[in-house]
């Protein structure tokens, strides 16, 4: 979905009135959370989207995009309804820091027509294309570090999509469908483009004229085999053009409606860094089978640097944040002697290098952690060659809970994820009659679950584990492992409690 800063009318006449008109609420979602406004969002080639308007998420207090697909023939819609529902349900499970978020969808049936309405994240800072144009206009060149960081984030998103089961092919990756947030985070939109093409029949859709113009303008982003053999290789070709445009700021069309092959070759040869040239050329190979995968490109010499301990530690810290106090960096650095040596590199033939605590700024560390948390520095996944399923929804949102009406209780949902890491904390009350258990579980999709309850001396760890299975907090196959872990932790806690009582 191509989303950019809304185009406003020029001139001062009626600006206040225009602002009031655009903020007027035209429609609400059935749950009342999403409120559509008049203000339109400019967009590019997304098949079938009749209109895209700004909307307000009243729960989070942020702006979002309200997209509509219109079916004038209800029979056509009915024939595709199940496919449409399945596609949107899958899209709601796509979760990656470098992919524009798909929030919600619903169907609106009228007597004469049908609508599919879906809510997506609003990227207010604009597209990559807009950023490159502004940079070129200001006579600036692309910063190589920023280029590497952007390429890494885009490839991280593509690697995620391509390794889903089944794989998701983007099919519309251009500089117009890539967005830059104010904090430097890159997000790719229009992830649903290829799915829309496959699900929505052309007869029911509008806006073909504008789509055709956009296709002409962005024709050079599409691989030679596009439309005949569509697999991940078409996304790699598109990424190669994006990487090239990011490096040279713009591939000149020289007055033509579309960028020529010669212009692409000339742009590639203009790159001074031989590694950057080889990197982009490998993506643009005519034979799709010879193009590398997104995962392979993440480890190309121009991008990949051996992960420093700093990056590994940052990811470890973020993944286990629930175990640490909120201002842990500030609190920890306060206790350090600024002149103390934290690391030293020794050389036999020359003077060594000492790294002191004073060389590290707590503010810079906090900013770095924030960037890692936002996905700006992804950790390459060495094991990502095995496909991973699109993550399932963990729980119903509040509006879903309100709309679900069942006369009888439904069967208890089961937990399908596996526990990969466990940690617990036990605290007894003063009387020693009961113990408060806090259990932290890390699941195989890297999400965490925190559970707590009071346990009595008579409680059995096996019964506790069975209860966790019953309430779908853990997978049944993990029951014995969790029971053993709890039994060991409770035993050690009781021994420490007895020892503490004996010394008093």
């Amino acid at each position: 979905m191509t989303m950019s800063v809304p185009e406003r009318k020029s001139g001062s006449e009626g600006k206040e009135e225009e602002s009031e008109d655009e903020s007027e609420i035209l429609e609400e979602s059935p749950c009342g959370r999403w409120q559509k406004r008049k203000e339109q969002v400019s967009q590019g080639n997304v098949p079938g989207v009749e209109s895209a308007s700004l909307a307000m998420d009243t729960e989070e207090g942020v702006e979002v995009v309200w997209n509509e697909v219109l079916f004038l023939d209800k029979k056509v819609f009915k024939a595709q309804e199940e496919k449409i529902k399945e596609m949107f349900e899958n899209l709601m499970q796509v979760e990656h820091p470098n992919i524009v978020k798909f929030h919600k969808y619903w169907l609106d049936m009228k007597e004469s027509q049908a609508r599919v309405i879906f809510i997506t994240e609003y990227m207010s800072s604009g597209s990559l294309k807009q950023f490159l144009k502004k940079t070129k206009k200001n006579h600036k060149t692309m910063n190589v570090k920023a280029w590497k960081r952007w390429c890494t984030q885009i490839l991280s998103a593509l690697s995620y999509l391509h390794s889903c089961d089944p794989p998701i092919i983007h099919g519309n990756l251009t500089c117009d469908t890539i967005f830059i947030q104010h904090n430097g985070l890159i997000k790719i939109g229009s992830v649903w483009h290829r799915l829309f093409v496959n699900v929505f029949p052309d007869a029911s859709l509008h806006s073909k004229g504008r789509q055709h113009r956009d296709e002409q303008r962005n024709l050079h982003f599409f691989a030679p085999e596009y439309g005949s053999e569509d697999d991940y290789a078409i996304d790699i070709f598109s990424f190669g053009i994006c990487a090239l445009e990011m490096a040279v700021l713009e591939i000149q069309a020289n007055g033509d409606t579309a960028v020529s092959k010669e212009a692409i070759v000339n742009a590639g040869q203009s790159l001074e860094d031989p590694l950057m040239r080889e990197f982009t050329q490998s993506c643009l190979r005519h034979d799709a089978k010879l193009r590398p995968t997104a995962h392979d490109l993440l480890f190309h010499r121009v991008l990949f640097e051996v992960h420093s301990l700093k990056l590994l530690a940052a990811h470890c810290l973020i993944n286990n944040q629930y175990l640490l106090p909120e201002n842990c960096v500030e609190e920890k650095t306060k206790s350090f002697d600024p002149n103390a040596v934290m690391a030293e590199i020794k050389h036999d033939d020359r003077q060594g290098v000492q790294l002191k605590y004073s060389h590290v700024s707590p503010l810079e560390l906090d900013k770095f952690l924030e960037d890692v948390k936002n996905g700006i520095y992804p950790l390459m996944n060495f094991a990502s060659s095995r496909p991973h399923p699109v993550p399932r929804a963990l729980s119903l949102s509040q509006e879903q809970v309100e709309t679900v009406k069942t006369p009888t209780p439904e069967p208890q949902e089961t937990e399908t994820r596996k526990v990969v890491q466990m940690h617990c904390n036990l605290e007894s009350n003063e009387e020693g009659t009961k113990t408060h258990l806090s259990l932290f579980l890390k699941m195989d999709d890297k999400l965490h679950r925190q559970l707590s309850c009071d346990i009595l001396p008579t409680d059995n760890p096996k019964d506790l584990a069975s209860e966790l299975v019953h309430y779908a907090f853990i997978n049944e196959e993990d029951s014995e492992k969790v029971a053993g872990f709890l039994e060991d932790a409770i035993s050690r806690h009781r021994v420490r409690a007895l020892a503490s009582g004996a010394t008093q």
Side-chain angles (χ1 to χ4, degrees), residues 225-283:
E225 74 278 10
Y226 186 88
S228 56
E229 296 180 35
D230 289 354
D231 64 5
Y232 74 83
I234 67 169
D235 286 345
I236 300 303
F237 185 94
S238 299
F239 165 76
I241 297 292
C242 290
L244 192 55
E245 285 214 344
M246 287 191 297
V248 300
L249 299 181
E250 184 183 16
I251 302 175
Q252 294 286 352
N254 296 324
D256 298 328
T257 53
V259 173
S260 65
K261 290 181 181 178
E262 185 184 0
I264 294 170
V265 171
N266 291 338
Q269 289 175 348
S270 71
L271 298 175
E272 294 180 5
D273 187 335
L275 285 177
M276 287 174 71
R277 278 202 307 273
E278 195 276 325
F279 177 81
T280 54
Q281 285 169 2
S282 69
C283 300

Side-chain angles (χ1 to χ4, degrees), residues 91 147 178 223 252-253 259 286 324 345 475:
L91 282 172
W147 181 85
I178 299 172
Q252 294 286 352
V259 173
H286 189 274
L324 301 163
I345 303 172
N475 190 306

Side-chain angles (χ1 to χ4, degrees), residues 322-323 419 421-425 437-442 449 451 485-486:
Y322 62 88
L323 297 174
V419 174
Q421 193 176 336
M422 291 178 282
H423 172 76
C424 77
N425 185 48
L437 167 68
S438 297
L439 179 63
F440 304 94
L441 304 175
K442 182 177 179 180
R449 174 162 275 168
L451 307 166
F485 172 77
L486 289 174

Side-chain angles (χ1 to χ4, degrees), residues 3-14:
M3 291 165 284
S4 61
V5 179
E7 298 170 357
R8 301 177 187 272
K9 296 175 183 177
S10 61
S12 59
E13 183 182 349

